[in-house]
Amino acid sequence: MIVLSNAKKTYILLLVICWAGSMLAQEQNEQKVTIEELAQKIEENNIQLQLASNNILVADANIGEVKNNRLPDINLNAQAFYLSDVQLFDTSLTSLENIDIPNFGNQLNLNVTQLLYAGGRVNKAIDLAELNKFFTENQYLDVEQTIKLAAAELYINLYNLRNQKTILVNNRDLATERTKTAQYFYNENMITKSELLRAQVLERGIEQSILQVSNAISITNKNLTLLAGMDEEVSIIPDVENLKLQNETHDELYFRAMAFDNNPLLLASENQIAIAEKSLEITRADRLPTLAGFAGYNANRPQTSPPLDLFINTYQIGLSLSYDLETVYKNRRKEEVDKRLIDQSILAKEAVRQEIEAQVNAAYKNYYQAIEQLEVSTLNEIAAAENYRITALKYKNQLVTYIEIVDAANLKLQAELQLLNDKTNIVLNYVKLLRSTGQL
């Protein structure tokens, strides 16, 4: 018998108190969160979504900047200066004469230029900026859908892990009872040492599984709180009671058509083609001349020839026509590049379309497979539970060996875990189906 000193007793008591306090704190930080509430927190707090949203604001500001090219260019220049007298020198640098002129001067120049025609380059540049904004908006939707899917997977996985832990704890309690029964039988010389050891090993094995699942719960909870921007001390309890899955009666073609209409990745790839085509239009517009109207006003003093301290005011108004002849032969190469980019964008769209089709196919088939598997696993769980109940009664009456009760216990545990996995797989594959169709 081991006798503990008072110091050791005190130390153990403190450990127990600390452990109880930590468990109480954990319970106090537990928070039920529905999947709708989780989605709302992600929209409000997720950093990646905030970055994607800021990209839209940048694209919108860029539209305003490009539209400024429609406005006139105005240049105002004003000067005030001191002007020295004029000194005349001959070729041998001998001073000949000093000419007195007004020494203080002013200049004012105002020039206005308004673009009248540039082959549609300004309007096409605005269209391109708007297409880029639309592309950025589709990127935002894709990022939002991707983050929501990742959060939903973590959420469903957390739900699965918490239920796994409950199942394991219940089976651990049953294993503890079996160990006590085996210990009693061993003490009465009714079973061998080997059967007792087998009972103890099985109980410790379930304890190890509980530790592993508890660690997985902690990691998954941490990742989910980071994704949703929640307090890391909060222990999320998934609330799936109000989660309603539609009993979809549509075929795969229906979901495929929905995905082609709504998936933000496909919309973005279509937009990328439009951007490439607009870039080609701008390149071709560069080969056209530019026509601008201009007006200017100039005022300056003094006058040096003859030296008079007077203002001279002039103004001008007219048209300016410019044409970059080099674009005739230089832009051909650039047009070839733009055409290749259009072809590349078309191929990229087809690749995205095929990827979406594959995602819809996998999610659709996995969803209905999970529904069918649930029917089988439900029956298996009922049968395994009844088999364990009967075997446990027989074992207590020494009608079966411990190996049979272990087999029945393992069968019951695996059936319960399989039933849980099939339930969560239905939800998970339904969420993936919504993601592939752009409806998440």
Side-chain angles (χ1 to χ4, degrees):
M1 181 177 178
I2 300 175
V3 179
L4 298 177
S5 64
N6 291 332
K8 289 184 177 180
K9 289 180 179 178
T10 304
Y11 177 72
I12 293 174
L13 181 60
L14 289 174
L15 286 179
V16 171
I17 292 173
C18 291
W19 174 80
S22 64
M23 292 299 293
L24 180 60
Q26 183 178 1
E27 291 178 359
Q28 290 175 344
N29 288 331
E30 287 184 346
Q31 179 179 341
K32 272 191 175 183
V33 179
T34 65
I35 199 163
E36 292 82 6
E37 292 171 342
L38 179 66
Q40 182 179 357
K41 290 183 181 296
I42 288 173
E43 292 175 357
E44 294 173 353
N45 304 321
N46 187 268
I47 298 298
Q48 296 180 44
L49 272 183
Q50 292 176 8
L51 288 173
S53 178
N54 189 67
N55 288 337
I56 297 177
L57 297 178
V58 172
D60 189 59
N62 187 56
I63 294 175
E65 181 184 1
V66 175
K67 285 183 178 180
N68 284 339
N69 292 327
R70 289 174 172 172
L71 302 176
D73 295 330
I74 302 176
N75 181 34
L76 175 65
N77 181 29
Q79 295 182 355
F81 54 88
Y82 174 83
L83 186 64
S84 68
D85 292 337
V86 176
Q87 290 183 316
L88 299 180
F89 294 87
D90 60 16
T91 56
S92 62
L93 300 180
T94 301
S95 178
L96 298 178
E97 183 182 1
N98 287 335
I99 301 176
D100 186 22
I101 64 173
N103 299 116
F104 292 95
N106 305 97
Q107 285 188 356
L108 176 66
N109 300 307
L110 176 64
N111 297 291
V112 180
T113 303
Q114 175 63 58
L115 182 65
L116 300 177
Y117 174 78
R121 287 195 293 271
V122 174
N123 290 334
K124 288 179 173 61
I126 294 173
D127 293 340
L128 181 60
E130 290 175 345
L131 287 171
N132 282 323
K133 180 187 176 183
F134 184 66
F135 178 76
T136 306
E137 289 172 342
N138 282 318
Q139 282 186 320
Y140 172 85
L141 292 176
D142 183 64
V143 170
E144 181 184 37
Q145 295 271 303
T146 300
I147 292 173
K148 284 184 176 180
L149 175 61
E153 289 177 339
L154 288 171
Y155 183 85
I156 296 167
N157 189 32
L158 184 60
Y159 171 80
N160 184 287
L161 289 169
R162 282 185 169 275
N163 282 276
Q164 276 189 46
K165 185 175 181 179
T166 301
I167 292 171
L168 289 168
V169 168
N170 292 335
N171 280 269
R172 188 270 318 275
D173 294 341
L174 291 175
T176 302
E177 291 298 323
R178 290 194 301 270
T179 302
K180 290 179 180 179
T181 302
Q183 182 69 55
Y184 172 78
F185 287 161
Y186 175 73
N187 293 338
E188 297 295 326
N189 294 320
M190 299 171 64
I191 62 173
T192 64
K193 181 70 171 179
S194 176
E195 289 183 278
L196 175 60
L197 292 175
R198 187 187 293 272
Q200 293 172 345
V201 169
L202 180 59
E203 183 181 0
R204 286 193 291 267
I206 297 178
E207 286 286 359
Q208 287 182 328
S209 298
I210 293 174
L211 288 174
Q212 293 171 354
V213 170
S214 297
N215 185 59
I217 289 173
S218 177
I219 294 172
T220 305
N221 189 84
K222 173 68 174 181
N223 291 336
L224 191 55
T225 55
L226 286 174
L227 205 58
M230 299 173 62
D231 187 351
E232 63 179 355
E233 299 298 327
V234 171
S235 182
I236 297 175
I237 301 178
D239 184 5
V240 297
E241 293 180 0
N242 297 325
L243 184 60
K244 297 180 180 179
L245 304 183
Q246 298 180 10
N247 187 11
E248 300 291 356
T249 57
H250 301 288
D251 59 9
E252 183 182 342
L253 293 177
Y254 170 83
F255 292 104
R256 188 187 305 172
M258 183 184 295
F260 291 162
D261 290 337
N262 300 297
N263 192 292
L265 268 183
L266 191 59
L267 295 176
S269 63
E270 292 175 352
N271 185 247
Q272 196 67 48
I273 297 174
I275 290 174
E277 291 173 343
K278 188 62 64 175
S279 296
L280 177 60
E281 292 179 12
I282 293 175
T283 300
R284 287 173 174 170
D286 287 339
R287 299 171 62 179
L288 299 175
T290 300
L291 178 65
F294 67 91
Y297 172 78
N298 304 289
N300 61 82
R301 61 174 279 268
Q303 310 307 313
T304 58
S305 181
L308 298 172
D309 191 11
L310 299 174
F311 276 103
I312 292 182
N313 296 341
T314 61
Y315 71 90
Q316 61 276 350
I317 186 171
L319 297 174
S320 170
L321 181 67
S322 62
Y323 187 52
D324 292 334
L325 296 177
E326 62 186 28
T327 58
V328 175
Y329 55 88
K330 282 186 176 181
N331 278 27
R332 291 178 181 176
R333 298 289 186 183
K334 190 176 179 183
E335 287 181 20
E336 287 298 321
V337 174
D338 290 337
K339 290 177 182 178
R340 296 295 175 266
L341 290 175
I342 292 174
D343 295 338
Q344 182 178 347
S345 299
I346 293 174
L347 291 174
K349 176 190 172 182
E350 179 61 22
V352 171
R353 192 194 68 80
Q354 292 180 2
E355 181 180 354
I356 291 173
E357 183 176 345
Q359 291 174 354
V360 171
N361 176 265
Y364 179 83
K365 285 183 166 53
N366 289 336
Y367 174 62
Y368 282 99
Q369 177 187 338
I371 293 176
E372 293 174 359
Q373 286 184 187
L374 180 62
E375 297 177 1
V376 177
S377 59
T378 300
L379 296 175
N380 287 342
E381 192 272 339
I382 295 172
E386 180 64 15
N387 176 65
Y388 177 80
R389 186 187 68 81
I390 295 171
T391 307
L393 287 175
K394 288 182 178 180
Y395 178 70
K396 288 182 178 180
N397 294 314
Q398 285 291 285
L399 298 176
V400 296
T401 64
Y402 191 76
I403 294 177
E404 292 180 78
I405 188 66
V406 168
D407 290 340
N410 286 332
L411 185 63
K412 174 180 175 294
L413 176 60
Q414 295 304 319
E416 290 175 349
L417 293 176
Q418 185 61 50
L419 178 62
L420 173 63
N421 288 335
D422 289 341
K423 287 180 178 179
T424 53
N425 278 337
I426 291 176
V427 181
L428 180 60
N429 285 293
Y430 183 75
V431 169
K432 288 182 178 180
L433 186 60
L434 291 179
R435 168 66 179 99
S436 63
T437 57
Q439 302 297 313
L440 188 59

